Amino acid sequence: MEAISLRIEKTTTDTIIKFTANTVLISGSYQFNNIDEAKNSPLAQQLFHLPFVKQVYISANFIAVERFNIVEWSDVQEELKEQIEIYLNNPGVLVLEENEPQQKIPVEVYAESTPNPSVQKFVANKKLVETDFEFKNKEEAKNSPLATELFNFEYVKEVFISENYVSITKLETADWGEITVEVRSFIRQYIADGKTIASINAQQKKHTQTIEEATTNLDDVSKQIIDLLDQYVKPAVAADGGNIAFQSYDATTQTVNVILQGACSGCPSSTVTLKNGIENMLKQLIPGKISQVVAVNY
């Protein structure tokens, strides 16, 4: 089994730093404000023994920590990263299951930049949806009240909603420095009010069922490609506010067709990622079967 490793990522909040894992850590999202609230999380309890730790967030593929102003992240982040990695590979339990319902916690949302300068990622401390949703315009967002309201902002071009975050693509006329606070506040309040994020309509259910049925009938190479994308690629692109979905594999031309979503769609670095990252990985792990990887919607 591959060891769990973390990479350090800054957020738009100076006091919060994120440790993103190379695999899925847990189902759901949790926030702990102090050691008393962390009774069902041995890792959070351990972190709260450090004098500079103010809050701990544990989510699907990352652990975020907020610090008090008694230290700078540059002085402690590497040691903290090593401590968390040792715990995760021990292996250590992140959150213990309890019979009693978990105490309701305040909703927090913080903004993160992505490799795509047109896209900002807004991460919540709770689970938002069970599956991914992508909306290119307001017409497509009929089954997502949140996306529909976001499109009322004149600078919102596209909306992508995943497990615990919302990625927003802005129009070129807007600047993130001027609109981030407004969007972040709106999303936080919307979630805090308990409003519906998105629901799967009949057409989407049929589409999902069709995909699942098609997946079971795929050739062995296609199944290998899907497994590798799920294991090595999706966690990384999710951390950057996007998603990559397998569409098809042509055995004759040895071409892999994928769909880029969220921050990955239209990103200037997507071509480099596809060619130097994903394509090379698939060529190495499935030798003699892969010629190229193409984004059909780039």
Side-chain angles (χ1 to χ4, degrees):
M1 184 176 178
E2 183 182 6
I4 297 175
S5 60
L6 303 173
R7 71 172 184 271
I8 299 172
E9 294 183 354
K10 293 182 178 180
T11 71
T12 53
T13 303
D14 291 339
T15 56
I16 298 177
I17 200 166
K18 191 170 77 167
F19 302 92
T20 301
N22 60 341
T23 186
V24 176
L25 300 174
I26 196 171
S27 175
S29 301
Y30 302 84
Q31 175 185 326
F32 304 103
N33 298 306
N34 52 59
I35 197 168
D36 291 330
E37 289 184 8
K39 291 178 180 179
N40 63 328
S41 175
L43 173 60
Q45 284 188 348
Q46 180 176 312
L47 294 175
F48 277 119
H49 285 296
L50 300 172
F52 58 86
V53 172
K54 182 179 180 181
Q55 288 184 326
V56 177
Y57 309 81
I58 299 177
S59 192
N61 70 325
F62 71 85
I63 295 167
V65 178
E66 183 175 3
R67 63 171 172 80
F68 289 106
N69 291 323
I70 58 175
V71 297
E72 296 296 328
W73 278 126
S74 58
D75 297 327
V76 298
Q77 62 185 27
E78 290 296 337
E79 292 182 0
L80 186 58
K81 170 178 172 287
E82 181 179 356
Q83 178 177 332
I84 297 174
E85 282 182 339
I86 291 174
Y87 182 91
L88 294 175
N89 287 289
N90 196 35
V93 176
L94 284 178
V95 179
L96 299 169
E97 294 294 333
E98 293 184 346
N99 294 326
E100 297 181 3
Q102 188 178 11
Q103 182 180 0
K104 186 176 181 180
I105 58 175
V107 173
E108 293 290 344
V109 174
Y110 61 93
E112 296 180 7
S113 57
T114 75
N116 188 339
S118 296
V119 179
Q120 193 93 315
K121 179 182 178 184
F122 297 87
V123 185
N125 63 328
K126 63 175 293 183
K127 192 170 186 175
L128 302 179
V129 291
E130 296 291 340
T131 187
D132 294 342
F133 294 86
E134 183 178 39
F135 307 106
K136 297 291 187 181
N137 52 60
K138 190 172 184 177
E139 183 66 22
E140 293 183 0
K142 290 180 178 179
N143 63 317
S144 174
L146 172 59
T148 297
E149 293 203 28
L150 286 170
F151 277 116
N152 288 332
F153 291 99
E154 60 183 12
Y155 45 75
V156 172
K157 182 180 179 182
E158 298 177 14
V159 177
F160 178 75
I161 305 175
S162 194
E163 182 181 26
N164 69 322
Y165 68 85
V166 180
S167 286
I168 294 178
T169 305
K170 69 174 181 64
L171 294 171
E172 294 300 322
T173 53
D175 183 87
W176 282 122
E178 299 174 353
I179 64 177
T180 295
V181 173
E182 180 181 29
V183 176
R184 174 184 172 275
S185 298
F186 173 80
I187 294 175
R188 190 201 67 79
Q189 190 59 53
Y190 186 97
I191 297 171
D193 289 342
K195 297 180 180 179
T196 300
I197 305 296
S199 57
I200 300 177
N201 57 28
Q203 184 178 357
Q204 284 180 306
K205 287 182 179 179
K206 184 176 180 180
H207 178 64
T208 302
Q209 185 178 359
T210 301
I211 292 176
E212 291 175 350
E213 291 174 353
T215 303
T216 60
N217 298 321
L218 290 175
D219 60 273
D220 291 340
V221 175
S222 294
K223 291 179 181 178
Q224 280 184 276
I225 294 169
I226 292 173
D227 288 342
L228 292 172
L229 291 177
D230 287 345
Q231 183 176 357
Y232 295 106
V233 180
K234 286 194 174 187
V237 297
D240 288 333
N243 184 46
I244 181 169
F246 172 83
Q247 188 193 59
S248 63
Y249 168 70
D250 189 325
T252 304
T253 61
Q254 297 187 341
T255 299
V256 180
N257 293 312
V258 297
I259 298 173
L260 300 180
Q261 298 175 309
C264 296
S265 179
C267 178
S269 62
S270 290
T271 301
V272 177
T273 301
L274 283 174
K275 298 300 177 184
N276 296 346
I278 300 171
E279 187 175 289
N280 287 343
M281 179 198 73
L282 293 177
K283 284 180 177 179
Q284 292 174 7
L285 298 178
I286 314 177
K289 298 294 184 181
I290 307 297
S291 173
Q292 63 177 339
V293 177
V294 178
V296 297
N297 66 325
Y298 183 74

